[in-house]
Amino acid sequence: MLAHELGHHVHKDIPFLILSGTLLTTLGLFIASLALDSAVSFFSFTSVADIAAFPALMLILGAYGLLVQPLENALSRWRESMADDYALKSTGKGEAFASAFTRLANQNLGEIDPEKWVVFMFYSHPPLGERIAKAKRFASS
Ligand SMILES: [Zn+2]
C-alpha cells in the first residue's frame, strides 16, 4: 500500500491531477459562460446576473459535469493503475498485493467486478477485481 502511494509521488500524480482538473474546470467555466450568454438571449433574461438565469447556469454546469466526470475518472484510473504497476515492480510482492486487496474487498464489501458502465461513470480507481487479477498475473510471471 505504501509502495502504491510512493508510485503516485514518483509519477507526480498530484501536480498532474491538479493541472488536469484546473484545465477541465477552466474549460467548463468558459463553455458555461458561452452557453449562459445563449440562454440569456434565448429566454430574454436581463443579463447573466439575472437571478432567473441561475437555474440555466446550474443545468449547464450539471451537463458539463456529467460529460467530464467520466474523463476525469478515466485519467484517475490510469494514474492509479500506474501506481499499482509501480508497487508491484518495486516490491515484487504480487501475492501480498492480491491478498491485501482481497481482504480490503471482503472487509468493505466492495464490489469486485462492477458493471463496465458504472466503472466508466463513477470509478476513480480500477475495480478491485481488476487490481487483484493484475497482481496475480504479476505474481505468476
Ligand atoms: Zn492511488
Side-chain angles (χ1 to χ4, degrees):
M1 298 292 177
L2 175 64
H4 170 96
E5 301 309 330
L6 289 173
H8 283 307
H9 176 72
V10 168
H11 299 138
K12 299 183 176 13
D13 286 343
I14 291 173
F16 173 81
L17 290 171
I18 288 174
L19 188 67
S20 59
T22 302
L23 290 174
L24 289 169
T25 300
T26 305
L27 178 68
L29 292 173
F30 176 68
I31 291 170
S33 149
L34 297 178
L36 190 59
D37 283 341
S38 299
V40 164
S41 60
F42 183 81
F43 292 107
S44 305
F45 297 133
T46 55
S47 74
V48 292
D50 189 341
I51 192 66
F54 189 67
L57 176 61
M58 290 296 98
L59 278 174
I60 292 162
L61 289 176
Y64 181 74
L66 202 63
L67 292 174
V68 166
Q69 187 183 359
L71 175 63
E72 286 189 323
N73 282 335
L75 285 174
S76 174
R77 285 195 305 275
W78 170 45
R79 304 310 281 201
E80 293 298 336
S81 183
M82 283 171 60
D84 284 349
D85 292 342
Y86 179 86
L88 288 168
K89 283 182 191 130
S90 63
T91 64
K93 294 183 189 285
E95 279 301 337
F97 186 107
S99 110
F101 275 92
T102 303
R103 265 181 280 133
L104 197 66
N106 292 338
Q107 284 169 10
N108 292 346
L109 302 175
E111 185 109 38
I112 297 274
D113 188 22
E115 296 282 342
K116 285 205 182 320
W117 74 267
V118 175
V119 175
F120 176 78
M121 283 303 293
F122 304 114
Y123 273 52
S124 63
H125 288 63
L128 287 169
E130 214 173 271
R131 299 174 90 176
I132 292 165
K134 179 195 273 190
K136 285 183 175 167
R137 274 196 310 276
F138 178 85
S140 65
S141 65

